[in-house]
Amino acid sequence: MITPPTFDFLRDLKANNNRDWFTEHKPRYQAAHKAFKAFANVLLDEVSHHDEIENLKLFRIYRDVRFSKDKSPYKPHFSGSMIRATKWRRGGYYFHLSPGSSFAGGGFWDPNTDDLKRIRTEIANHPEEMREVLQHPELQQYFDGLEGDQVKTAPRGFTKDHPAIDLLRYKQFLLTHPFTDEEVLAPDFAQQLSRVFQAMRPFFDYMSEVLTTDENGVPIE
């Protein structure tokens, strides 16, 4: 489980985001990171009961500041992702733990050109299917709707007055659910987080079917 010392470290790091402070408090970082890593492995085990995971990745706390106006050297959060196994299961899970701003996320962060075109074509031809998925009771229990970057008007090849233009504008297809600090620090948080990920399944099943078949529903080899 995530314990108060982990959040205490992240809270102090946010207030003292510089190399001198981090070096002085590196043992605290190491202890917090070890606890986060242990939590992530428990989470992986929980998620593996309802999905097949190909890879668990924990992100480094060190920021790449080369092209950023914000030169803070460290991320004041711990985060990780899980990729679903095989080409037939599309989508990925993301978890982000930070005092006051923890959340679970999932979906399609940066679909390649072919995948984005295929998704938009399917939405344009059958918008009711995506809308039904987003209205699924499991999704609505945890998520407020589709999120992600959008084009300002209409993507190339589609008109601004298309009846599904609200969906076609998306360049990313994401779901997120926030957690309070109390929820993150609860003994059963790994199980709670896994349940939120499991609630994404109708969305993932729909998108996986779209991205592994052509417009006629024939599997893509």
Side-chain angles (χ1 to χ4, degrees):
M1 59 181 287
I2 301 298
T3 58
T6 297
F7 263 20
D8 289 343
F9 167 76
L10 292 173
R11 194 176 290 110
D12 291 344
L13 175 61
K14 185 175 182 179
N16 303 276
N17 201 326
N18 62 79
R19 289 181 176 84
D20 289 342
W21 185 91
F22 188 85
T23 299
E24 181 181 351
H25 294 266
K26 195 162 187 179
R28 292 180 63 195
Y29 160 69
Q30 292 169 331
H33 185 262
K34 182 179 179 180
F36 174 66
K37 185 176 181 180
F39 166 82
N41 284 318
V42 172
L43 176 63
L44 175 61
D45 182 66
E46 291 289 335
V47 174
S48 295
H49 285 91
H50 60 76
D51 204 351
E52 293 190 40
I53 301 301
E54 181 176 285
N55 182 46
L56 166 66
K57 179 180 180 180
L58 302 184
F59 296 103
R60 288 164 52 87
I61 201 167
Y62 306 96
R63 295 184 63 248
D64 183 352
V65 300
R66 291 175 298 172
F67 308 105
S68 174
K69 292 182 179 179
D70 179 3
K71 299 301 181 182
S72 302
Y74 308 105
K75 304 170 187 174
H77 63 262
F78 287 127
S79 60
S81 67
M82 289 180 284
I83 303 300
R84 304 177 75 217
T86 81
K87 68 178 182 180
W88 305 109
R89 296 179 183 86
R90 298 297 185 90
Y93 304 107
Y94 175 77
F95 50 105
H96 180 109
L97 306 184
S98 178
S101 58
S102 298
F103 68 92
F108 302 80
W109 176 263
D110 187 24
N112 62 47
T113 301
D114 290 341
D115 283 354
L116 184 56
K117 181 179 179 181
R118 177 72 186 93
I119 293 168
R120 283 175 170 162
T121 299
E122 188 69 20
I123 290 173
N125 292 337
H126 305 286
E128 71 285 354
E129 293 183 2
M130 172 67 97
R131 297 194 192 282
E132 287 177 6
V133 168
L134 295 176
Q135 292 170 4
H136 193 286
E138 288 183 35
L139 263 75
Q140 293 200 326
Q141 181 179 355
Y142 293 105
F143 309 107
D144 290 334
L146 198 60
E147 300 179 34
D149 290 343
Q150 304 179 46
V151 299
K152 292 183 178 179
T153 54
R156 183 177 299 178
F158 301 95
T159 62
K160 291 186 289 186
D161 60 351
H162 191 286
I165 193 60
D166 58 315
L167 298 174
L168 293 171
R169 286 197 181 106
Y170 282 96
K171 298 187 292 183
Q172 300 172 319
F173 301 84
L174 307 173
L175 301 172
T176 66
H177 175 80
F179 289 101
T180 65
D181 291 356
E182 290 75 18
E183 288 173 321
V184 174
L185 297 174
D188 65 343
F189 178 56
Q191 291 75 27
Q192 291 185 52
L193 183 50
S194 178
R195 284 194 290 271
V196 171
F197 285 154
Q198 188 172 12
M200 297 179 185
R201 193 59 176 269
F203 176 63
F204 279 168
D205 287 348
Y206 165 78
M207 294 290 270
S208 294
E209 182 175 357
V210 169
L211 292 171
T212 59
T213 61
D214 63 20
E215 293 180 42
N216 297 314
V218 177
I220 300 171
E221 297 297 334

